[in-house]
């Protein structure tokens, strides 16, 4: 699986518009056959920063994603809203999907 984590720091005047603006991009990416997950979160330390966790089943699926029309469209409008170049961690990991955390389970009732 290709695992990608991206931090987007948004200009303060656009921070309330970010999630609505990425909604179509998110929906289209989640519909891609090779997408495993595509999830947005907001930083608890920086209210102007959003974190994207995304995964694709393999490199070919990741390549299909970056060559998609919805990816190209998002890359065209995002520069106006971001305050700095996004930070990224991108790597291939030996997994196919989410798995249970071995160190933590709910308490038995």
């Amino acid at each position: 699986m290709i695992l990608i984590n991206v931090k987007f720091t948004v200009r303060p005047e656009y921070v309330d518009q970010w999630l609505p603006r990425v909604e179509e991009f998110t929906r289209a990416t989640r519909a891609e056959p090779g997408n495993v997950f595509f999830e947005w979160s907001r930083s608890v330390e920086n209210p102007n920063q959003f974190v994207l966790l995304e995964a694709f089943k393999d490199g070919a699926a990741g390549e299909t994603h970056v060559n998609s029309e919805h990816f190209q469209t998002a890359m065209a409008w995002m520069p106006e809203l971001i305050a700095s170049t996004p930070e990224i961690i991108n790597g291939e990991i030996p997994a196919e999907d989410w798995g249970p955390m071995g160190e933590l389970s709910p308490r038995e009732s």
Side-chain angles (χ1 to χ4, degrees), residues 58-78:
D58 54 29
E63 186 174 338
T64 297
H65 172 64
V66 299
N67 290 318
S68 69
E69 184 177 338
H70 54 271
F71 183 89
Q72 298 302 320
T73 297
M75 295 305 103
W77 64 256
M78 283 184 178

Side-chain angles (χ1 to χ4, degrees), residues 2 15 24 29 36-37 43 49-50 60 83 88 90 96 103 109:
I2 303 299
V15 76
E24 184 177 325
T29 301
V36 178
F37 57 83
S43 171
Q49 191 172 75
F50 294 87
I88 188 169
N90 181 343
E96 293 182 15
E103 300 82 7
S109 303

Side-chain angles (χ1 to χ4, degrees), residues 35-64:
N35 181 255
V36 178
F37 57 83
F38 197 84
E39 301 290 335
W40 291 96
S41 297
R42 194 166 186 179
S43 171
V44 296
E45 295 175 357
N46 180 348
N48 297 334
Q49 191 172 75
F50 294 87
V51 179
L52 174 60
L53 303 177
E54 56 184 308
F56 298 89
K57 69 177 185 175
D58 54 29
E63 186 174 338
T64 297

